[in-house]
Amino acid sequence: MTELKNDLFLRACLSEDVERTPVWMMRQAGRYLAEYRATRAKAGGFLNLCRSPELCSEVALQPVDILAADAAILFSDILVVPEAMGMTLTFGAGEGPKFSDPITCRADVEKLPVLDDPTKELGYVMNAVRTIRRDLGGRVPLIGFAGSPWTLATYMVEGGGSKTFSKVKAMMYNEPETMHLLLEKLADSVAAYLNGQIAHGAQAIQIFDTWGGILNTSSYKEFSLAYMQRIVQQLTRENDGRRVPVILYSKGGMGWLEATADTGCDVIGLDWTIDIDEAKARVGDRVALQGNMDPSMLYANPQRIRAEVKDILAKFGHGNGHVFNLGHGITPDVSPEHAIEFFKAVREESVIYHR
Ligand code: CP3
């Protein structure tokens, strides 16, 4: 494999020495970029884009070219896993995802297969991983990803997004065994899927637990964290002579950082509701931290954005183990100029902390 020209991100994930703090951003390939919208139009919609390895590579590289991001992320969606398990997924224009055949009962869960061969139904994602690695030519590392079992289950049971999560929570409280069976099948499918991404060239892994934060503490540990841990335990942790860092990101999960660090992950992704110095004090040097600027800071002017970057860098202070990111994904109505200024500010302002 080609040698990595910029491995700052991998080193920071493993709390090794770096010359400056690396930066990437969740949802960095997305609608805020005109270049992304043009490629999506060429593909004929979002799911078609996900199914074309060449076009996935085109959009995954856009933020590397435009923002000088220190990592690329696989272009796909978390919901391609339930789709590969047989569910019918659609994305209406300007709408969120929909499953027309949601999971409603034990029999629905029993019918779901466990995906153990990622080169079958999800083979197009493996091709995308290989194509992106080829096109990156070693410029920056490639992050693979999947949704957490709990977060996938919310979409599968609700049939789409939700405000109340009434169906998935009712199933969890009324029929915990059914929920556990669903989460087990998802965890084992996701583990095989992520190991496939690693085998095809993903150099780090992020698990997105977007909806872990809607749970109470005991439910979070039992229904979300335990299944992320089950995945972490199954993952290939070294490939091509390098450790493959694993990042766990639970939005709204800042109350459970210590338990998250105990899963064996390398990095915890922070949302913006905690100060990074407090997070660092709580997890010590057990894991690295990723984050954690409020995504809506990108609506502010470049001077304000830079001040916020400086504040977060100062809070983290000297020492290794910081990957700069937003606390959640960039929103579609942000000006690309502001995103460019954000990345530039991190590159420039972080140097003093690594002398
Ligand atoms: O740049 C990247 O981060 C890589 C690609 C990526 C997408 N989705 C592409 C996408 C990643 C990592 C995801 C993860 C994802 N998908 C999550 C977890 C992260 C998070 O944001 O909380 C979730 C919950 C989903 C499910 C999903 N996909 C929703 C709810 C939606 C619609 C609303 C929204 O947030 O955009 C999507 C669509 C989606 N996934 C788009 C993109 C670029 C927009 C679709 C379009 O172009 O029309």
Side-chain angles (χ1 to χ4, degrees), residues 25-31 36 40 46 73-79 91 95-97 145 151 155 208 210-211 328-329:
M25 154 173 96
M26 291 186 267
R27 296 297 192 91
Q28 64 185 12
R31 287 161 291 180
Y36 168 82
R40 187 186 58 185
F46 173 65
I73 180 161
L74 165 65
F75 191 83
S76 189
D77 197 80
I78 63 168
L79 299 178
F91 282 89
E95 281 174 57
F145 74 90
T151 293
Y155 289 99
F208 287 89
T210 305
W211 300 118
H328 194 206

PDB file of all heavy atoms in Angstrom, residues 25-31 36 40 46 73-79 91 95-97 145 151 155 208 210-211 328-329, ligand 1:
ATOM      1  N   MET A  25     -14.383  16.833   9.891  1.00  0.00           N
ATOM      2  CA  MET A  25     -15.684  17.257  10.374  1.00  0.00           C
ATOM      3  C   MET A  25     -16.722  16.225   9.970  1.00  0.00           C
ATOM      4  O   MET A  25     -16.704  15.729   8.834  1.00  0.00           O
ATOM      5  CB  MET A  25     -15.882  18.644   9.774  1.00  0.00           C
ATOM      6  CG  MET A  25     -17.174  19.196   9.526  1.00  0.00           C
ATOM      7  SD  MET A  25     -16.964  20.939   9.020  1.00  0.00           S
ATOM      8  CE  MET A  25     -17.016  20.774   7.238  1.00  0.00           C
ATOM      9  N   MET A  26     -17.590  15.854  10.927  1.00  0.00           N
ATOM     10  CA  MET A  26     -18.677  14.931  10.608  1.00  0.00           C
ATOM     11  C   MET A  26     -19.548  15.558   9.517  1.00  0.00           C
ATOM     12  O   MET A  26     -19.808  16.753   9.560  1.00  0.00           O
ATOM     13  CB  MET A  26     -19.503  14.619  11.864  1.00  0.00           C
ATOM     14  CG  MET A  26     -18.721  13.780  12.885  1.00  0.00           C
ATOM     15  SD  MET A  26     -19.735  13.261  14.283  1.00  0.00           S
ATOM     16  CE  MET A  26     -19.399  14.600  15.423  1.00  0.00           C
ATOM     17  N   ARG A  27     -19.966  14.740   8.566  1.00  0.00           N
ATOM     18  CA  ARG A  27     -20.763  15.166   7.401  1.00  0.00           C
ATOM     19  C   ARG A  27     -20.005  16.150   6.505  1.00  0.00           C
ATOM     20  O   ARG A  27     -20.606  17.004   5.866  1.00  0.00           O
ATOM     21  CB  ARG A  27     -22.102  15.779   7.839  1.00  0.00           C
ATOM     22  CG  ARG A  27     -23.021  14.790   8.540  1.00  0.00           C
ATOM     23  CD  ARG A  27     -23.412  13.669   7.591  1.00  0.00           C
ATOM     24  NE  ARG A  27     -24.496  12.865   8.119  1.00  0.00           N
ATOM     25  CZ  ARG A  27     -25.785  13.088   7.892  1.00  0.00           C
ATOM     26  NH1 ARG A  27     -26.144  14.103   7.152  1.00  0.00           N
ATOM     27  NH2 ARG A  27     -26.685  12.310   8.417  1.00  0.00           N
ATOM     28  N   GLN A  28     -18.668  15.990   6.485  1.00  0.00           N
ATOM     29  CA  GLN A  28     -17.878  16.947   5.682  1.00  0.00           C
ATOM     30  C   GLN A  28     -18.136  16.812   4.187  1.00  0.00           C
ATOM     31  O   GLN A  28     -17.944  17.769   3.433  1.00  0.00           O
ATOM     32  CB  GLN A  28     -16.385  16.832   5.996  1.00  0.00           C
ATOM     33  CG  GLN A  28     -15.727  15.508   5.634  1.00  0.00           C
ATOM     34  CD  GLN A  28     -14.267  15.439   6.108  1.00  0.00           C
ATOM     35  OE1 GLN A  28     -13.806  16.253   6.885  1.00  0.00           O
ATOM     36  NE2 GLN A  28     -13.536  14.441   5.624  1.00  0.00           N
ATOM     37  N   ALA A  29     -18.551  15.621   3.741  1.00  0.00           N
ATOM     38  CA  ALA A  29     -18.996  15.460   2.349  1.00  0.00           C
ATOM     39  C   ALA A  29     -20.508  15.609   2.375  1.00  0.00           C
ATOM     40  O   ALA A  29     -21.206  14.715   2.820  1.00  0.00           O
ATOM     41  CB  ALA A  29     -18.601  14.085   1.822  1.00  0.00           C
ATOM     42  N   GLY A  30     -21.019  16.736   1.924  1.00  0.00           N
ATOM     43  CA  GLY A  30     -22.466  16.909   2.049  1.00  0.00           C
ATOM     44  C   GLY A  30     -22.988  18.147   1.350  1.00  0.00           C
ATOM     45  O   GLY A  30     -22.257  18.845   0.642  1.00  0.00           O
ATOM     46  N   ARG A  31     -24.256  18.411   1.632  1.00  0.00           N
ATOM     47  CA  ARG A  31     -25.019  19.390   0.848  1.00  0.00           C
ATOM     48  C   ARG A  31     -24.537  20.824   0.955  1.00  0.00           C
ATOM     49  O   ARG A  31     -24.900  21.656   0.129  1.00  0.00           O
ATOM     50  CB  ARG A  31     -26.504  19.333   1.261  1.00  0.00           C
ATOM     51  CG  ARG A  31     -27.189  18.093   0.756  1.00  0.00           C
ATOM     52  CD  ARG A  31     -28.467  17.823   1.524  1.00  0.00           C
ATOM     53  NE  ARG A  31     -28.142  17.422   2.889  1.00  0.00           N
ATOM     54  CZ  ARG A  31     -29.043  17.121   3.818  1.00  0.00           C
ATOM     55  NH1 ARG A  31     -30.325  17.217   3.538  1.00  0.00           N
ATOM     56  NH2 ARG A  31     -28.668  16.753   5.023  1.00  0.00           N
ATOM     57  N   TYR A  36     -20.680  18.845  -4.012  1.00  0.00           N
ATOM     58  CA  TYR A  36     -21.425  17.645  -3.609  1.00  0.00           C
ATOM     59  C   TYR A  36     -22.774  17.611  -4.329  1.00  0.00           C
ATOM     60  O   TYR A  36     -23.168  16.581  -4.889  1.00  0.00           O
ATOM     61  CB  TYR A  36     -21.645  17.619  -2.081  1.00  0.00           C
ATOM     62  CG  TYR A  36     -22.644  16.559  -1.679  1.00  0.00           C
ATOM     63  CD1 TYR A  36     -22.262  15.233  -1.524  1.00  0.00           C
ATOM     64  CD2 TYR A  36     -24.011  16.873  -1.505  1.00  0.00           C
ATOM     65  CE1 TYR A  36     -23.188  14.252  -1.191  1.00  0.00           C
ATOM     66  CE2 TYR A  36     -24.937  15.901  -1.183  1.00  0.00           C
ATOM     67  CZ  TYR A  36     -24.521  14.593  -1.024  1.00  0.00           C
ATOM     68  OH  TYR A  36     -25.445  13.615  -0.721  1.00  0.00           O
ATOM     69  N   ARG A  40     -24.200  14.671  -6.746  1.00  0.00           N
ATOM     70  CA  ARG A  40     -25.455  13.969  -6.431  1.00  0.00           C
ATOM     71  C   ARG A  40     -26.439  14.068  -7.596  1.00  0.00           C
ATOM     72  O   ARG A  40     -27.124  13.091  -7.932  1.00  0.00           O
ATOM     73  CB  ARG A  40     -26.076  14.554  -5.160  1.00  0.00           C
ATOM     74  CG  ARG A  40     -27.296  13.768  -4.687  1.00  0.00           C
ATOM     75  CD  ARG A  40     -27.984  14.447  -3.521  1.00  0.00           C
ATOM     76  NE  ARG A  40     -28.407  15.800  -3.861  1.00  0.00           N
ATOM     77  CZ  ARG A  40     -28.957  16.663  -3.012  1.00  0.00           C
ATOM     78  NH1 ARG A  40     -29.137  16.313  -1.742  1.00  0.00           N
ATOM     79  NH2 ARG A  40     -29.311  17.863  -3.396  1.00  0.00           N
ATOM     80  N   PHE A  46     -29.478  10.515  -3.838  1.00  0.00           N
ATOM     81  CA  PHE A  46     -28.545  10.161  -2.775  1.00  0.00           C
ATOM     82  C   PHE A  46     -28.203   8.668  -2.758  1.00  0.00           C
ATOM     83  O   PHE A  46     -27.035   8.285  -2.677  1.00  0.00           O
ATOM     84  CB  PHE A  46     -29.117  10.616  -1.427  1.00  0.00           C
ATOM     85  CG  PHE A  46     -28.325  10.148  -0.245  1.00  0.00           C
ATOM     86  CD1 PHE A  46     -27.019  10.587  -0.047  1.00  0.00           C
ATOM     87  CD2 PHE A  46     -28.874   9.261   0.667  1.00  0.00           C
ATOM     88  CE1 PHE A  46     -26.282  10.154   1.051  1.00  0.00           C
ATOM     89  CE2 PHE A  46     -28.149   8.828   1.760  1.00  0.00           C
ATOM     90  CZ  PHE A  46     -26.845   9.269   1.951  1.00  0.00           C
ATOM     91  N   ILE A  73     -13.655  10.587   5.034  1.00  0.00           N
ATOM     92  CA  ILE A  73     -14.569   9.572   5.569  1.00  0.00           C
ATOM     93  C   ILE A  73     -15.283   8.918   4.395  1.00  0.00           C
ATOM     94  O   ILE A  73     -15.633   9.589   3.410  1.00  0.00           O
ATOM     95  CB  ILE A  73     -15.545  10.151   6.628  1.00  0.00           C
ATOM     96  CG1 ILE A  73     -16.489   9.058   7.160  1.00  0.00           C
ATOM     97  CG2 ILE A  73     -16.305  11.361   6.136  1.00  0.00           C
ATOM     98  CD1 ILE A  73     -17.173   9.382   8.494  1.00  0.00           C
ATOM     99  N   LEU A  74     -15.431   7.606   4.519  1.00  0.00           N
ATOM    100  CA  LEU A  74     -16.177   6.828   3.530  1.00  0.00           C
ATOM    101  C   LEU A  74     -17.479   7.538   3.211  1.00  0.00           C
ATOM    102  O   LEU A  74     -18.170   7.997   4.123  1.00  0.00           O
ATOM    103  CB  LEU A  74     -16.470   5.445   4.137  1.00  0.00           C
ATOM    104  CG  LEU A  74     -17.527   4.590   3.440  1.00  0.00           C
ATOM    105  CD1 LEU A  74     -17.071   4.198   2.043  1.00  0.00           C
ATOM    106  CD2 LEU A  74     -17.827   3.350   4.285  1.00  0.00           C
ATOM    107  N   PHE A  75     -17.853   7.614   1.963  1.00  0.00           N
ATOM    108  CA  PHE A  75     -19.162   8.163   1.644  1.00  0.00           C
ATOM    109  C   PHE A  75     -20.166   7.033   1.523  1.00  0.00           C
ATOM    110  O   PHE A  75     -20.074   6.184   0.630  1.00  0.00           O
ATOM    111  CB  PHE A  75     -19.180   9.023   0.378  1.00  0.00           C
ATOM    112  CG  PHE A  75     -20.486   9.748   0.290  1.00  0.00           C
ATOM    113  CD1 PHE A  75     -20.664  10.935   0.988  1.00  0.00           C
ATOM    114  CD2 PHE A  75     -21.573   9.207  -0.374  1.00  0.00           C
ATOM    115  CE1 PHE A  75     -21.897  11.575   1.003  1.00  0.00           C
ATOM    116  CE2 PHE A  75     -22.812   9.845  -0.361  1.00  0.00           C
ATOM    117  CZ  PHE A  75     -22.968  11.030   0.330  1.00  0.00           C
ATOM    118  N   SER A  76     -21.136   7.023   2.455  1.00  0.00           N
ATOM    119  CA  SER A  76     -22.215   6.038   2.455  1.00  0.00           C
ATOM    120  C   SER A  76     -23.249   6.543   3.446  1.00  0.00           C
ATOM    121  O   SER A  76     -23.295   7.740   3.727  1.00  0.00           O
ATOM    122  CB  SER A  76     -21.680   4.662   2.870  1.00  0.00           C
ATOM    123  OG  SER A  76     -22.687   3.685   2.670  1.00  0.00           O
ATOM    124  N   ASP A  77     -24.082   5.667   3.983  1.00  0.00           N
ATOM    125  CA  ASP A  77     -25.008   6.057   5.037  1.00  0.00           C
ATOM    126  C   ASP A  77     -25.120   4.918   6.026  1.00  0.00           C
ATOM    127  O   ASP A  77     -24.933   3.754   5.672  1.00  0.00           O
ATOM    128  CB  ASP A  77     -26.395   6.397   4.475  1.00  0.00           C
ATOM    129  CG  ASP A  77     -27.206   7.185   5.498  1.00  0.00           C
ATOM    130  OD1 ASP A  77     -27.002   8.398   5.616  1.00  0.00           O
ATOM    131  OD2 ASP A  77     -28.007   6.562   6.218  1.00  0.00           O
ATOM    132  N   ILE A  78     -25.451   5.251   7.283  1.00  0.00           N
ATOM    133  CA  ILE A  78     -25.595   4.186   8.287  1.00  0.00           C
ATOM    134  C   ILE A  78     -26.740   3.232   7.927  1.00  0.00           C
ATOM    135  O   ILE A  78     -26.720   2.074   8.309  1.00  0.00           O
ATOM    136  CB  ILE A  78     -25.790   4.755   9.717  1.00  0.00           C
ATOM    137  CG1 ILE A  78     -27.079   5.566   9.821  1.00  0.00           C
ATOM    138  CG2 ILE A  78     -24.588   5.585  10.142  1.00  0.00           C
ATOM    139  CD1 ILE A  78     -27.470   5.907  11.279  1.00  0.00           C
ATOM    140  N   LEU A  79     -27.732   3.720   7.182  1.00  0.00           N
ATOM    141  CA  LEU A  79     -28.949   2.923   6.954  1.00  0.00           C
ATOM    142  C   LEU A  79     -28.817   1.907   5.825  1.00  0.00           C
ATOM    143  O   LEU A  79     -29.756   1.143   5.564  1.00  0.00           O
ATOM    144  CB  LEU A  79     -30.141   3.860   6.723  1.00  0.00           C
ATOM    145  CG  LEU A  79     -30.418   4.779   7.927  1.00  0.00           C
ATOM    146  CD1 LEU A  79     -31.580   5.718   7.634  1.00  0.00           C
ATOM    147  CD2 LEU A  79     -30.697   3.974   9.191  1.00  0.00           C
ATOM    148  N   PHE A  91     -35.135   7.730   0.387  1.00  0.00           N
ATOM    149  CA  PHE A  91     -34.873   9.103   0.810  1.00  0.00           C
ATOM    150  C   PHE A  91     -35.648   9.999  -0.143  1.00  0.00           C
ATOM    151  O   PHE A  91     -35.250  10.143  -1.299  1.00  0.00           O
ATOM    152  CB  PHE A  91     -33.378   9.451   0.699  1.00  0.00           C
ATOM    153  CG  PHE A  91     -32.528   8.908   1.816  1.00  0.00           C
ATOM    154  CD1 PHE A  91     -31.954   7.652   1.725  1.00  0.00           C
ATOM    155  CD2 PHE A  91     -32.287   9.666   2.956  1.00  0.00           C
ATOM    156  CE1 PHE A  91     -31.154   7.155   2.749  1.00  0.00           C
ATOM    157  CE2 PHE A  91     -31.487   9.176   3.988  1.00  0.00           C
ATOM    158  CZ  PHE A  91     -30.923   7.918   3.889  1.00  0.00           C
ATOM    159  N   GLU A  95     -36.497  15.240   2.348  1.00  0.00           N
ATOM    160  CA  GLU A  95     -37.044  14.531   3.517  1.00  0.00           C
ATOM    161  C   GLU A  95     -35.962  13.658   4.123  1.00  0.00           C
ATOM    162  O   GLU A  95     -34.970  13.361   3.493  1.00  0.00           O
ATOM    163  CB  GLU A  95     -38.164  13.599   3.084  1.00  0.00           C
ATOM    164  CG  GLU A  95     -39.504  14.236   2.820  1.00  0.00           C
ATOM    165  CD  GLU A  95     -40.452  13.187   2.261  1.00  0.00           C
ATOM    166  OE1 GLU A  95     -40.660  12.154   2.921  1.00  0.00           O
ATOM    167  OE2 GLU A  95     -40.943  13.393   1.142  1.00  0.00           O
ATOM    168  N   GLY A  96     -36.231  13.165   5.284  1.00  0.00           N
ATOM    169  CA  GLY A  96     -35.325  12.208   5.907  1.00  0.00           C
ATOM    170  C   GLY A  96     -35.554  10.815   5.340  1.00  0.00           C
ATOM    171  O   GLY A  96     -36.345  10.631   4.418  1.00  0.00           O
ATOM    172  N   PRO A  97     -34.847   9.828   5.900  1.00  0.00           N
ATOM    173  CA  PRO A  97     -34.987   8.439   5.458  1.00  0.00           C
ATOM    174  C   PRO A  97     -36.318   7.829   5.883  1.00  0.00           C
ATOM    175  O   PRO A  97     -36.876   8.214   6.902  1.00  0.00           O
ATOM    176  CB  PRO A  97     -33.839   7.743   6.192  1.00  0.00           C
ATOM    177  CG  PRO A  97     -33.542   8.602   7.381  1.00  0.00           C
ATOM    178  CD  PRO A  97     -33.860   9.997   6.974  1.00  0.00           C
ATOM    179  N   PHE A 145     -17.080   3.700   8.696  1.00  0.00           N
ATOM    180  CA  PHE A 145     -18.062   3.952   9.762  1.00  0.00           C
ATOM    181  C   PHE A 145     -19.274   3.054   9.653  1.00  0.00           C
ATOM    182  O   PHE A 145     -19.520   2.425   8.625  1.00  0.00           O
ATOM    183  CB  PHE A 145     -18.520   5.423   9.757  1.00  0.00           C
ATOM    184  CG  PHE A 145     -19.461   5.760   8.619  1.00  0.00           C
ATOM    185  CD1 PHE A 145     -20.847   5.621   8.766  1.00  0.00           C
ATOM    186  CD2 PHE A 145     -18.963   6.203   7.404  1.00  0.00           C
ATOM    187  CE1 PHE A 145     -21.709   5.940   7.713  1.00  0.00           C
ATOM    188  CE2 PHE A 145     -19.818   6.519   6.354  1.00  0.00           C
ATOM    189  CZ  PHE A 145     -21.186   6.387   6.504  1.00  0.00           C
ATOM    190  N   THR A 151     -28.909   3.033  17.447  1.00  0.00           N
ATOM    191  CA  THR A 151     -29.317   4.083  16.513  1.00  0.00           C
ATOM    192  C   THR A 151     -29.963   3.472  15.261  1.00  0.00           C
ATOM    193  O   THR A 151     -30.983   3.968  14.775  1.00  0.00           O
ATOM    194  CB  THR A 151     -28.104   4.982  16.178  1.00  0.00           C
ATOM    195  OG1 THR A 151     -27.758   5.682  17.376  1.00  0.00           O
ATOM    196  CG2 THR A 151     -28.398   5.980  15.072  1.00  0.00           C
ATOM    197  N   TYR A 155     -34.331   3.775  13.763  1.00  0.00           N
ATOM    198  CA  TYR A 155     -34.883   3.994  12.411  1.00  0.00           C
ATOM    199  C   TYR A 155     -35.685   2.785  11.934  1.00  0.00           C
ATOM    200  O   TYR A 155     -36.708   2.925  11.265  1.00  0.00           O
ATOM    201  CB  TYR A 155     -33.762   4.313  11.411  1.00  0.00           C
ATOM    202  CG  TYR A 155     -33.171   5.686  11.631  1.00  0.00           C
ATOM    203  CD1 TYR A 155     -31.978   5.859  12.323  1.00  0.00           C
ATOM    204  CD2 TYR A 155     -33.821   6.827  11.166  1.00  0.00           C
ATOM    205  CE1 TYR A 155     -31.441   7.119  12.554  1.00  0.00           C
ATOM    206  CE2 TYR A 155     -33.298   8.092  11.383  1.00  0.00           C
ATOM    207  CZ  TYR A 155     -32.109   8.233  12.076  1.00  0.00           C
ATOM    208  OH  TYR A 155     -31.600   9.489  12.304  1.00  0.00           O
ATOM    209  N   PHE A 208     -21.316   5.733  14.914  1.00  0.00           N
ATOM    210  CA  PHE A 208     -22.205   6.872  15.165  1.00  0.00           C
ATOM    211  C   PHE A 208     -23.402   6.403  15.997  1.00  0.00           C
ATOM    212  O   PHE A 208     -24.271   5.690  15.496  1.00  0.00           O
ATOM    213  CB  PHE A 208     -22.741   7.449  13.846  1.00  0.00           C
ATOM    214  CG  PHE A 208     -21.743   8.227  13.036  1.00  0.00           C
ATOM    215  CD1 PHE A 208     -20.929   7.591  12.101  1.00  0.00           C
ATOM    216  CD2 PHE A 208     -21.636   9.610  13.171  1.00  0.00           C
ATOM    217  CE1 PHE A 208     -20.021   8.314  11.339  1.00  0.00           C
ATOM    218  CE2 PHE A 208     -20.725  10.339  12.404  1.00  0.00           C
ATOM    219  CZ  PHE A 208     -19.913   9.687  11.489  1.00  0.00           C
ATOM    220  N   THR A 210     -26.022   8.243  17.213  1.00  0.00           N
ATOM    221  CA  THR A 210     -26.700   9.538  17.175  1.00  0.00           C
ATOM    222  C   THR A 210     -27.822   9.634  18.213  1.00  0.00           C
ATOM    223  O   THR A 210     -28.100  10.708  18.735  1.00  0.00           O
ATOM    224  CB  THR A 210     -27.262   9.764  15.758  1.00  0.00           C
ATOM    225  OG1 THR A 210     -26.169   9.627  14.842  1.00  0.00           O
ATOM    226  CG2 THR A 210     -27.890  11.129  15.608  1.00  0.00           C
ATOM    227  N   TRP A 211     -28.448   8.493  18.527  1.00  0.00           N
ATOM    228  CA  TRP A 211     -29.615   8.537  19.418  1.00  0.00           C
ATOM    229  C   TRP A 211     -29.384   7.856  20.768  1.00  0.00           C
ATOM    230  O   TRP A 211     -30.352   7.594  21.492  1.00  0.00           O
ATOM    231  CB  TRP A 211     -30.851   7.963  18.707  1.00  0.00           C
ATOM    232  CG  TRP A 211     -31.175   8.755  17.480  1.00  0.00           C
ATOM    233  CD1 TRP A 211     -31.187   8.305  16.192  1.00  0.00           C
ATOM    234  CD2 TRP A 211     -31.500  10.157  17.419  1.00  0.00           C
ATOM    235  NE1 TRP A 211     -31.496   9.336  15.319  1.00  0.00           N
ATOM    236  CE2 TRP A 211     -31.690  10.480  16.051  1.00  0.00           C
ATOM    237  CE3 TRP A 211     -31.638  11.170  18.376  1.00  0.00           C
ATOM    238  CZ2 TRP A 211     -32.011  11.773  15.623  1.00  0.00           C
ATOM    239  CZ3 TRP A 211     -31.960  12.465  17.943  1.00  0.00           C
ATOM    240  CH2 TRP A 211     -32.139  12.744  16.587  1.00  0.00           C
ATOM    241  N   HIS A 328     -21.257  17.659  16.226  1.00  0.00           N
ATOM    242  CA  HIS A 328     -22.170  16.857  15.398  1.00  0.00           C
ATOM    243  C   HIS A 328     -21.915  17.316  13.971  1.00  0.00           C
ATOM    244  O   HIS A 328     -21.017  18.117  13.727  1.00  0.00           O
ATOM    245  CB  HIS A 328     -23.630  17.056  15.834  1.00  0.00           C
ATOM    246  CG  HIS A 328     -24.587  16.042  15.266  1.00  0.00           C
ATOM    247  ND1 HIS A 328     -25.926  16.296  15.075  1.00  0.00           N
ATOM    248  CD2 HIS A 328     -24.387  14.760  14.852  1.00  0.00           C
ATOM    249  CE1 HIS A 328     -26.522  15.209  14.587  1.00  0.00           C
ATOM    250  NE2 HIS A 328     -25.602  14.270  14.435  1.00  0.00           N
ATOM    251  N   GLY A 329     -22.706  16.807  13.027  1.00  0.00           N
ATOM    252  CA  GLY A 329     -22.415  17.088  11.625  1.00  0.00           C
ATOM    253  C   GLY A 329     -22.645  18.540  11.219  1.00  0.00           C
ATOM    254  O   GLY A 329     -23.482  19.243  11.807  1.00  0.00           O
TER     255      GLY A 329
HETATM  256  O1  CP3 B   1     -19.289  13.166   5.065  1.00  0.00           O
HETATM  257  C1  CP3 B   1     -19.711  12.245   5.782  1.00  0.00           C
HETATM  258  O2  CP3 B   1     -19.834  12.350   7.020  1.00  0.00           O
HETATM  259  C2  CP3 B   1     -19.911  10.876   5.151  1.00  0.00           C
HETATM  260  C3  CP3 B   1     -21.188  10.388   4.895  1.00  0.00           C
HETATM  261  C4  CP3 B   1     -22.325  10.207   5.901  1.00  0.00           C
HETATM  262  C5  CP3 B   1     -23.681  10.403   5.524  1.00  0.00           C
HETATM  263  N1  CP3 B   1     -24.457   9.996   6.547  1.00  0.00           N
HETATM  264  C6  CP3 B   1     -24.122  10.907   4.213  1.00  0.00           C
HETATM  265  C7  CP3 B   1     -25.466  11.519   4.108  1.00  0.00           C
HETATM  266  C8  CP3 B   1     -22.324   9.740   7.219  1.00  0.00           C
HETATM  267  C9  CP3 B   1     -21.155   9.434   8.120  1.00  0.00           C
HETATM  268  C10 CP3 B   1     -23.692   9.605   7.612  1.00  0.00           C
HETATM  269  C11 CP3 B   1     -24.132   9.098   8.916  1.00  0.00           C
HETATM  270  C12 CP3 B   1     -25.543   9.118   9.295  1.00  0.00           C
HETATM  271  N2  CP3 B   1     -26.645   8.911   8.496  1.00  0.00           N
HETATM  272  C13 CP3 B   1     -26.011   9.299  10.621  1.00  0.00           C
HETATM  273  C14 CP3 B   1     -25.122   9.467  11.827  1.00  0.00           C
HETATM  274  C15 CP3 B   1     -24.506  10.800  11.924  1.00  0.00           C
HETATM  275  C16 CP3 B   1     -25.420  11.928  12.270  1.00  0.00           C
HETATM  276  O3  CP3 B   1     -25.489  12.859  11.481  1.00  0.00           O
HETATM  277  O4  CP3 B   1     -26.013  11.885  13.347  1.00  0.00           O
HETATM  278  C17 CP3 B   1     -27.416   9.248  10.586  1.00  0.00           C
HETATM  279  C18 CP3 B   1     -28.346   9.429  11.771  1.00  0.00           C
HETATM  280  C19 CP3 B   1     -27.806   8.995   9.236  1.00  0.00           C
HETATM  281  C20 CP3 B   1     -29.196   8.804   8.714  1.00  0.00           C
HETATM  282  C21 CP3 B   1     -29.543   9.879   7.755  1.00  0.00           C
HETATM  283  N3  CP3 B   1     -28.987  10.012   6.502  1.00  0.00           N
HETATM  284  C22 CP3 B   1     -30.481  10.924   7.924  1.00  0.00           C
HETATM  285  C23 CP3 B   1     -31.318  11.153   9.173  1.00  0.00           C
HETATM  286  C24 CP3 B   1     -30.471  11.677   6.744  1.00  0.00           C
HETATM  287  C25 CP3 B   1     -31.354  12.860   6.372  1.00  0.00           C
HETATM  288  C26 CP3 B   1     -31.177  14.044   7.141  1.00  0.00           C
HETATM  289  C27 CP3 B   1     -29.765  14.580   7.194  1.00  0.00           C
HETATM  290  O5  CP3 B   1     -29.219  14.684   8.305  1.00  0.00           O
HETATM  291  O6  CP3 B   1     -29.197  14.907   6.146  1.00  0.00           O
HETATM  292  C28 CP3 B   1     -29.501  11.113   5.888  1.00  0.00           C
HETATM  293  C29 CP3 B   1     -29.126  11.615   4.552  1.00  0.00           C
HETATM  294  C30 CP3 B   1     -27.682  11.834   4.247  1.00  0.00           C
HETATM  295  N4  CP3 B   1     -26.646  11.033   4.626  1.00  0.00           N
HETATM  296  C31 CP3 B   1     -27.156  12.875   3.440  1.00  0.00           C
HETATM  297  C32 CP3 B   1     -25.769  12.695   3.355  1.00  0.00           C
HETATM  298  C33 CP3 B   1     -24.782  13.510   2.585  1.00  0.00           C
HETATM  299  C34 CP3 B   1     -27.986  13.965   2.780  1.00  0.00           C
HETATM  300  C35 CP3 B   1     -28.733  13.351   1.662  1.00  0.00           C
HETATM  301  C36 CP3 B   1     -28.793  14.196   0.412  1.00  0.00           C
HETATM  302  O7  CP3 B   1     -27.730  14.534  -0.147  1.00  0.00           O
HETATM  303  O8  CP3 B   1     -29.909  14.493  -0.023  1.00  0.00           O
END
